[in-house]
Amino acid sequence: MVKAYLRYEPGLSFGVVASPDSNVVYDPSGRRLLAAALDRFAAWDLKRGLPSATFTPSSSSASLAISCIASSPSAASASASSIASGHADGSIRLWDAETGACEATLHGHRSAASALRFSPSGAVLASGSKDCDVILWDVVAQAGLFRLRGHRDQVTDLVFLDSGKKLVTCSKDKFMRVWDLDTQHCLQIVGGHHSEIWSMDVDPSEKFLVSGSADPELRVFRIRQSAEEGEDWNKWDALKLFGEIPRQTKERVQTVRFNKDGSLVACQVAGKTADIYRILDEAEATRKAKRRLHRKKEKASAKAGAAEGNGTVIDPLTAQDSQNPTVVVTDVFKLLQVLRTSKKICSVAFSPSNPPKGCLATLSLSLNNNVLETYSVDNENVSKMYSVEIHGHRADIRSLILNSEDNLLMSTSHNAVKIWNPSTGDCLRTIDSGYGLCSAFVPGNRYGLVGTKTGTLEIIDINSGNSVDVIEAHAGSIRSIALIPDEDGTVNARGFVTGSADHDVKFWEYQLVQKSDSDTKHLSVTNVRTLKMEDDVLAVSIGPTGKHIAVALLDCTVKVFFLDTLKFCLRLYGHKLPVLCMDISSDGEFIVTGSADKNLKIWGMDFGDCHKSIFAHTDSVMDVKFVPRTHYMFSVGKDRTVKYWDADKFELLLTLEGHHAEVWCLAISSRGDFIVTGSHDRSIRRWDRTDEHLFIEEEREKRLEETFEADLDNAVEDRYGQKDDAPEEGSVGVPGKKTKETVTATDAIIDALDTAEEEEKRLNEQKELQNNGEGTKSAPNVIMQGQSPSEYVLKAVSNVRPNDLEQALLSLPFSDALKLMAYLKEWSLIPLKVELICRVCLVLLQTHHNQLTTTPAARSILTELKDILYGRVKDCKDTIGFNLAAMDHIKELLAMRSDAPFRDAKAKLMEIRQEQSKRTDRSFGGDKRKKKKPKVSSTQS
């Protein structure tokens, strides 16, 4: 009989506040800050310091790491999808800001998305990528519009101009490009930067565009207004250099952003500073220019007085220059403040909501130590308002341990210990400590032990969140802590063992200590025995009955001793590199060791023989644990994976992927119903056991299929084939790309066409038989579920996602495309499907134009479609126009009846309801007071 196992699946991920590889933005409401946390992102309420919503993709993988986020302008209401996220695999996801649901997944880029920006209307999304392409997406239709090619390196930023009619993109190729989105052509190529351009932004009034690179100055461009004409402007130019602003630091620019009203611009560098500039209005800029010219005039007159004796002539300033001075860029942009932080800044974002009284703006930023900070900017200084840092460690997580009841989780990092609720992911306590490499809960779950890199042993009170005692335990770093169990397997207050790099294994016992008469007793420990080793101790493990102790040494061996007498018992050798972790099974039958040589070895505890050596991970094995009361085990490694094994059959059961960096540690619950892993990416992930069964053969086949599909993807993308040196200048391409989903959609359409063709043959044969007088009926095809052939094919085409439709039709052979076109005439009579029919017809005509024009059978179809489709599209256009005119009329009527504009009707309605609720509360309170008075008078009488 085939053995079945229970599957483990991703349950919860916590510990990451902000990823260093992504930007931060405010959501459309302007009240919450969106910050990426590896493959998901959260909307943070900065005042409370809590996430109000979490946006999580359906699957978890390192390839889905978020690389950029964008939110549509608050005024935009064209679509419910108001948030977009770009991922490391090139995909883009559209999210509903209110529900947190993923509305669509768009595939088009071959490399990680590097920049996202919504148009002012919110209906179009522009995305730039490391593959040097820019793609425009229709957010409402959830499909690609076109691809813009021209850049020679990664696209770093993009902005819309002229109400979304133009797009400006910048790249690491040192150029900016201005695209006309109506004609889909490049209007202007702007040079001048001497290094890679990293960011740019345009002010809300579209007067200035500021770009930043590794150059020592920011470049400011004037934007051509629609009505502005003159000899200074070229006919097609949209940008013109206004000047350069000297920067305060030498690091390259990371982000340039304007605030909501365009009065401030922040220039954040790839370091610990952000320069904030004030944009002066025309009157202030003119006054500043006059003062500059006045000083220049004074200097000139002083020089002229000094030069009279020498006979030198100094040209005086003209009257026109002094009366109407030319405003230069330094007259408009004035350095206001320099924001300095303790750690490197990753991204900045201005809050679109109104700042507090007395402040010019509110600036939020993410730091590379997993912290979000918010500052208020005013004329005098920059002051910190909020900080979000409790919900994660500042560095990677080095150890994890669960208490005996599995309701508390302790994690250690380089400067703090955190206590978590593993069920919800909430941080309960944060205790300052040294660099913790290992940890354990003291029996009773009131205290915790932490072994540090400096060799100290810290005792932590869990309830109060304080460090009770710090003991100088070892001369080297403490690598492992193991509790000593009783003979029945339960862990009581017998003590614990520590292993250190100073070659010592020390045995400790608990004791209660009272420092003074006034103080209460607290826990302390005392060293009772010491076992000297010949080399550094890397790991210590004790058997479940407390009979044996195993010690892993730097010389790649494991020595097993009797715990009571400390006499030598066994020596396990065979690893080529040091053993980093080990564990003994609950029945004491097996010991498993994990090494830096990427192997797991399973040994028998009776004779020390190696039962099996398994090549487990593609990098060092960092931790391994048996599931209690079983011979199943989990291992984690630097290859970012968690693996589930059967030690009896030596089989790999399951590979769990989700971490984005090396996995350092692992903890398993006492019942084995969940495991917790900690990683270098600062995340803690919980994996839950489900009721779903898994079988070894099925999992093996699934892994082979995934390998085959990965090779297929490589073949489709032709990663190893010859590539073009550079894209065609300003060319336009198809927005989507071929994926497994598009191939599946093509197969579904072909199957539907073949099934419909067979059904039509059957119906024709049946008609002939009926005409001949033979009344036999053939059974209809069950797969079609009673639908006609035309309806069945239409359903198959309609089920294809809008973003995949174009690529699916491109993969159709010409014979199947011809079959599909034969149905278009009948489908065009359905009003709701006119848009879909036009898309299908357009793609098929563009793809198979030459074959269609030379095929006699297709000419009649094309002629009929030409007459029908124009009329159907005109009818749809008239209907939409009629509805728009009716809505404009209703808007005018409502505007006439109310003193509020139509767009503010919802806000006005909410104000009226609030006033009504306040009145009802007052009246209700007055009624209560009126009722109470008679009672008092009656008692007095």
Side-chain angles (χ1 to χ4, degrees):
M1 185 176 177
V2 180
K3 188 173 181 180
Y5 304 86
L6 292 178
R7 184 181 297 277
Y8 283 79
E9 290 184 351
L12 186 66
S13 176
F14 53 94
V16 180
V17 177
S19 298
D21 299 327
S22 176
N23 63 320
V24 292
V25 294
Y26 277 86
D27 71 341
S29 68
R31 294 189 299 270
R32 303 179 301 175
L33 184 68
L34 304 176
L38 304 179
D39 51 5
R40 60 188 178 88
F41 64 97
W44 291 89
D45 186 339
L46 297 173
K47 289 183 180 179
R48 296 190 301 149
L50 296 172
S52 56
T54 303
F55 303 81
T56 309
S58 56
S59 60
S60 178
S61 171
S63 63
L64 294 180
I66 294 176
S67 52
C68 50
I69 309 175
S71 65
S72 67
S74 57
S77 57
S79 173
S81 303
S82 55
I83 300 173
S85 62
H87 298 260
D89 62 349
S91 63
I92 293 164
R93 283 170 170 75
L94 301 176
W95 305 84
D96 190 328
E98 295 184 1
T99 63
C102 181
E103 301 288 332
T105 303
L106 309 174
H107 295 282
H109 291 294
R110 297 185 299 275
S111 301
S114 55
L116 289 174
R117 192 74 69 113
F118 277 93
S119 66
S121 65
V124 177
L125 175 70
S127 64
S129 168
K130 289 184 178 179
D131 61 7
C132 313
D133 291 348
V134 177
I135 300 181
L136 275 296
W137 306 92
D138 187 338
V139 177
V140 181
Q142 298 176 357
L145 297 173
F146 48 86
R147 182 191 300 265
L148 300 173
R149 294 194 179 101
H151 283 294
R152 263 71 170 178
D153 208 335
Q154 171 185 335
V155 179
T156 53
D157 210 346
L158 27 80
V159 290
F160 283 92
L161 296 180
D162 195 11
S163 303
K165 295 178 183 176
K166 293 184 179 68
L167 180 72
V168 185
T169 59
C170 65
S171 167
K172 289 169 73 173
D173 61 6
K174 307 178 188 177
F175 291 104
M176 292 192 299
R177 287 176 176 264
V178 184
W179 306 84
D180 188 329
L181 300 184
D182 292 334
T183 60
Q184 301 175 12
H185 279 79
C186 181
L187 292 177
Q188 184 183 2
I189 300 175
V190 182
H193 282 283
H194 304 295
S195 57
E196 300 167 340
I197 307 173
W198 286 96
S199 183
M200 64 179 177
D201 200 20
V202 62
D203 67 324
S205 60
E206 295 191 2
K207 285 184 180 180
F208 303 110
L209 184 143
V210 180
S211 62
S213 65
D215 300 344
E217 60 275 326
L218 294 172
R219 291 175 71 85
V220 181
F221 297 86
R222 283 174 54 211
I223 301 171
R224 184 176 192 165
Q225 305 300 321
S226 57
E228 189 175 358
E229 293 290 342
E231 296 179 359
D232 296 342
W233 286 91
N234 193 340
K235 183 180 179 182
W236 303 109
D237 285 356
L239 299 177
K240 185 179 178 182
L241 183 63
F242 184 37
E244 296 178 344
I245 312 169
R247 296 197 291 113
Q248 304 299 308
T249 54
K250 294 181 180 179
E251 290 101 340
R252 69 169 177 85
V253 173
Q254 177 98 0
T255 312
V256 176
R257 288 293 177 264
F258 280 90
N259 68 337
K260 185 181 180 182
D261 59 2
S263 62
L264 298 176
V265 61
C267 169
Q268 173 242 324
V269 300
K272 299 180 181 180
T273 61
D275 303 333
I276 302 171
Y277 296 88
R278 178 113 182 246
I279 294 98
L280 306 179
D281 56 19
E282 292 183 6
E284 289 178 327
T286 307
R287 284 198 299 271
K288 191 175 178 183
K290 285 182 178 179
R291 288 196 300 270
R292 175 174 51 81
L293 287 177
H294 182 67
R295 289 194 300 270
K296 188 175 180 182
K297 187 177 179 180
E298 287 179 350
K299 288 180 181 179
S301 61
K303 285 183 180 179
E308 280 180 2
N310 301 330
T312 312
V313 178
I314 303 292
D315 292 334
L317 292 171
T318 62
Q320 185 177 0
D321 286 343
S322 58
Q323 291 299 324
N324 298 315
T326 304
V327 176
V328 296
V329 67
T330 51
D331 297 332
V332 180
F333 289 81
K334 173 189 173 184
L335 180 64
L336 182 68
Q337 298 290 345
V338 177
L339 171 62
R340 290 181 172 85
T341 58
S342 59
K343 294 293 180 181
K344 185 180 175 183
I345 306 173
C346 297
S347 177
V348 298
F350 276 107
S351 172
S353 56
N354 295 325
K357 191 175 181 181
C359 296
L360 298 175
T362 305
L363 182 68
S364 294
L365 44 88
S366 63
L367 305 181
N368 71 342
N369 65 338
N370 204 22
V371 172
L372 292 174
E373 291 182 348
T374 303
Y375 290 82
S376 63
V377 182
D378 55 30
N379 290 319
E380 301 298 327
N381 58 5
V382 179
S383 56
K384 187 190 290 188
M385 296 173 62
Y386 315 114
S387 179
V388 179
E389 56 185 17
I390 297 175
H391 303 273
H393 282 286
R394 306 285 75 77
D396 49 346
I397 294 157
R398 296 310 302 262
S399 75
L400 288 173
I401 193 73
L402 285 161
N403 69 347
S404 58
E405 297 174 359
D406 297 332
N407 58 4
L408 291 179
L409 173 72
M410 182 161 61
S411 63
T412 65
S413 185
H414 79 296
N415 66 351
V417 175
K418 286 185 178 289
I419 309 297
W420 308 83
N421 182 344
S423 301
T424 61
D426 295 333
C427 180
L428 307 177
R429 297 280 189 278
T430 300
I431 306 125
D432 292 335
S433 72
Y435 197 132
L437 296 178
C438 52
S439 56
F441 273 99
V442 176
N445 301 324
R446 287 186 57 196
Y447 295 94
L449 302 170
V450 178
T452 66
K453 199 173 184 178
T454 57
T456 59
L457 189 65
E458 299 189 9
I459 302 174
I460 292 165
D461 189 337
I462 305 296
N463 295 330
S464 65
N466 296 323
S467 180
V468 175
D469 201 358
V470 178
I471 298 152
E472 297 292 337
H474 289 273
S477 57
I478 301 176
R479 302 282 178 80
S480 183
I481 296 177
L483 300 180
I484 301 175
D486 291 334
E487 292 182 0
D488 57 356
T490 59
V491 179
N492 289 323
R494 284 188 64 185
F496 62 96
V497 180
T498 58
S500 168
D502 63 358
H503 304 188
D504 287 348
V505 176
K506 291 190 176 182
F507 294 77
W508 305 82
E509 286 185 354
Y510 307 112
Q511 61 181 10
L512 290 174
V513 176
Q514 188 174 6
K515 289 186 178 179
S516 62
D517 296 337
S518 59
D519 291 343
T520 58
K521 291 184 177 181
H522 65 83
L523 183 73
S524 184
V525 295
T526 180
N527 182 21
V528 291
R529 284 192 296 176
T530 302
L531 177 63
K532 296 284 185 181
M533 307 302 295
E534 301 84 18
D535 216 331
D536 291 10
V537 178
L538 300 182
V540 175
S541 184
I542 298 177
T545 58
K547 185 179 180 183
H548 297 99
I549 177 172
V551 182
L553 301 175
L554 193 62
D555 62 1
C556 311
T557 63
V558 176
K559 290 187 177 181
V560 182
F561 300 87
F562 290 105
L563 186 63
D564 50 358
T565 62
L566 297 185
K567 287 185 177 179
F568 177 76
C569 177
L570 296 169
R571 184 181 181 188
L572 313 177
Y573 58 91
H575 282 291
K576 297 181 178 64
L577 290 173
V579 174
L580 303 177
C581 53
M582 59 184 174
D583 194 28
I584 300 174
S585 61
S586 299
D587 56 2
E589 185 177 346
F590 294 141
I591 178 173
V592 59
T593 57
S595 166
D597 62 9
K598 311 171 190 177
N599 290 314
L600 285 175
K601 288 185 185 291
I602 301 170
W603 316 77
M605 283 293 288
D606 43 6
F607 301 109
D609 54 328
C610 181
H611 289 192
K612 187 70 174 178
S613 180
I614 305 169
F615 182 72
H617 292 264
T618 56
D619 210 330
S620 302
V621 182
M622 298 310 298
D623 204 355
V624 62
K625 290 273 195 313
F626 275 102
V627 178
R629 294 179 291 281
T630 68
H631 284 173
Y632 307 144
M633 60 186 183
F634 283 93
S635 66
V636 298
K638 284 186 177 181
D639 59 356
R640 308 178 180 183
T641 60
V642 182
K643 295 194 175 183
Y644 185 32
W645 306 86
D646 185 346
D648 290 324
K649 295 188 175 182
F650 318 122
E651 288 280 0
L652 174 63
L653 305 179
L654 201 58
T655 300
L656 303 172
E657 295 180 345
H659 280 291
H660 295 222
E662 300 94 334
V663 188
W664 292 122
C665 47
L666 163 74
I668 302 181
S669 67
S670 57
R671 296 190 301 274
D673 52 346
F674 70 90
I675 69 166
V676 186
T677 54
S679 169
H680 184 71
D681 61 14
R682 301 170 185 160
S683 71
I684 301 173
R685 291 181 183 266
R686 195 188 76 218
W687 314 82
D688 296 333
R689 187 172 65 195
T690 63
D691 295 332
E692 182 186 351
H693 291 278
L694 69 90
F695 300 94
I696 295 176
E697 288 298 325
E698 288 183 2
E699 292 301 312
R700 192 179 291 127
E701 289 175 7
K702 195 182 294 184
R703 286 194 292 272
L704 287 172
E705 285 178 7
E706 289 174 356
T707 307
F708 174 73
E709 287 174 354
D711 293 339
L712 182 67
D713 289 343
N714 289 339
V716 166
E717 294 178 11
D718 195 17
R719 291 180 183 174
Y720 308 107
Q722 186 177 0
K723 292 206 170 42
D724 298 334
D725 293 336
E728 186 182 342
E729 184 64 33
S731 62
V732 181
V734 178
K737 73 169 185 176
K738 194 172 184 179
T739 61
K740 287 181 284 187
E741 289 82 5
T742 61
V743 174
T744 306
T746 305
D747 292 340
I749 293 173
I750 293 173
D751 290 342
L753 288 169
D754 293 341
T755 307
E757 189 178 13
E758 291 176 5
E759 183 68 10
E760 283 183 347
K761 284 182 182 177
R762 187 190 67 80
L763 292 173
N764 292 333
E765 288 175 0
Q766 188 172 337
K767 281 183 183 178
E768 288 181 4
L769 291 173
Q770 286 178 353
N771 293 335
N772 296 334
E774 300 177 10
T776 57
K777 278 190 176 183
S778 58
N781 195 337
V782 182
I783 298 174
M784 299 185 67
Q785 299 176 351
Q787 297 172 333
S788 67
S790 175
E791 292 172 348
Y792 184 67
V793 178
L794 178 60
K795 184 180 179 182
V797 175
S798 302
N799 286 339
V800 180
R801 292 190 303 183
N803 184 44
D804 298 335
L805 182 61
E806 189 169 4
Q807 285 292 331
L809 295 174
L810 285 173
S811 304
L812 277 179
F814 177 68
S815 58
D816 291 311
L818 206 58
K819 292 178 190 175
L820 189 61
M821 290 195 75
Y823 291 106
L824 294 182
K825 179 184 174 183
E826 185 178 345
W827 294 348
S828 62
L829 301 175
I830 306 171
L832 294 177
K833 298 294 181 181
V834 173
E835 185 182 355
L836 176 67
I837 306 313
C838 289
R839 279 193 70 191
V840 172
C841 185
L842 186 63
V843 173
L844 294 179
L845 279 172
Q846 289 174 340
T847 309
H848 305 288
H849 180 264
N850 293 333
Q851 295 95 319
L852 287 170
T853 52
T854 55
T855 304
R859 289 176 187 170
S860 59
I861 299 174
L862 292 174
T863 308
E864 292 176 348
L865 284 175
K866 179 185 174 184
D867 298 333
I868 294 172
L869 284 181
Y870 277 111
R872 301 301 300 170
V873 171
K874 187 177 181 302
D875 292 344
C876 284
K877 194 176 178 181
D878 292 342
T879 305
I880 293 170
F882 180 81
N883 290 337
L884 286 173
M887 290 180 71
D888 287 337
H889 181 63
I890 294 171
K891 183 200 287 189
E892 290 176 3
L893 289 176
L894 288 172
M896 289 168 59
R897 292 176 187 173
S898 173
D899 59 343
F902 182 77
R903 62 179 176 273
D904 297 331
K906 186 176 179 182
K908 187 72 175 175
L909 182 64
M910 295 300 293
E911 286 179 13
I912 294 169
R913 285 180 178 173
Q914 285 178 356
E915 288 178 5
Q916 287 178 347
S917 63
K918 287 178 182 176
R919 287 174 189 165
T920 53
D921 291 342
R922 287 172 192 161
S923 62
F924 184 66
D927 292 343
K928 278 188 173 180
R929 286 192 293 271
K930 287 176 185 176
K931 287 178 182 177
K932 285 179 181 177
K933 284 179 182 177
K935 288 183 180 179
V936 175
S937 61
S938 62
T939 53
Q940 286 176 354
S941 61

